[in-house]
Amino acid sequence: MMMDENSRSWYVLYTAPRLERKLMRHLAVAGYKTYCPMQTIYVNWNGKTKEIIVPFFSGCVFVEGDLKEMASVVASQKAAFLVNADGKELSIVSDKANLPGKFAQLLK
């Protein structure tokens, strides 16, 4: 299968919920492209409705880069690569716009 310039291999990282932005900042400083699709939810607190932006997949961050080079950076941030049933790191070959859909298909 040939990959065009827009389709690249992205790896799925898992971190503790609510630490996705911190992990993304750390990986960006290290020179990696990251992506975490967000959604807006509305929560009712004390009779007031608050708008909160949260990750679409809680605890999951997509990162593009070389797996071996990334491993030490990921381990230092208390994150882990998601693996498939065979024990291999879960990678998705796609452009950034289609990542959430392809990941959701893998979860089924």
Side-chain angles (χ1 to χ4, degrees):
M1 173 170 79
M2 299 220 14
M3 290 190 323
D4 62 9
E5 193 170 302
N6 293 329
S7 295
R8 299 178 189 232
S9 186
W10 292 77
Y11 293 94
V12 183
L13 297 178
Y14 180 77
T15 188
R18 298 185 2 208
L19 291 179
E20 299 91 354
R21 289 181 179 106
K22 181 180 176 184
L23 177 62
M24 288 177 59
R25 278 193 305 268
H26 190 77
L27 289 168
V29 167
Y32 296 102
K33 291 182 184 178
T34 61
Y35 177 61
C36 184
M38 299 288 187
Q39 64 181 341
T40 303
I41 63 169
Y42 297 92
V43 180
N44 193 0
W45 283 325
N46 298 330
K48 295 182 180 179
T49 302
K50 304 276 184 173
E51 181 179 288
I52 302 173
I53 299 173
V54 297
F56 195 74
F57 303 107
S58 180
C60 292
V61 173
F62 299 98
V63 62
E64 179 185 37
D66 183 55
L67 182 64
K68 292 177 183 174
E69 292 175 3
M70 243 188 297
S72 62
V73 175
V74 170
S76 72
Q77 292 300 302
K78 298 182 182 174
F81 290 98
L82 285 184
V83 295
N84 61 15
D86 299 328
K88 293 190 170 204
E89 288 80 8
L90 186 61
S91 67
I92 302 170
V93 178
S94 177
D95 59 347
K96 192 163 122 177
N98 295 328
L99 275 175
K102 289 199 175 197
F103 183 63
Q105 287 176 350
L106 290 173
L107 294 177
K108 288 183 181 181

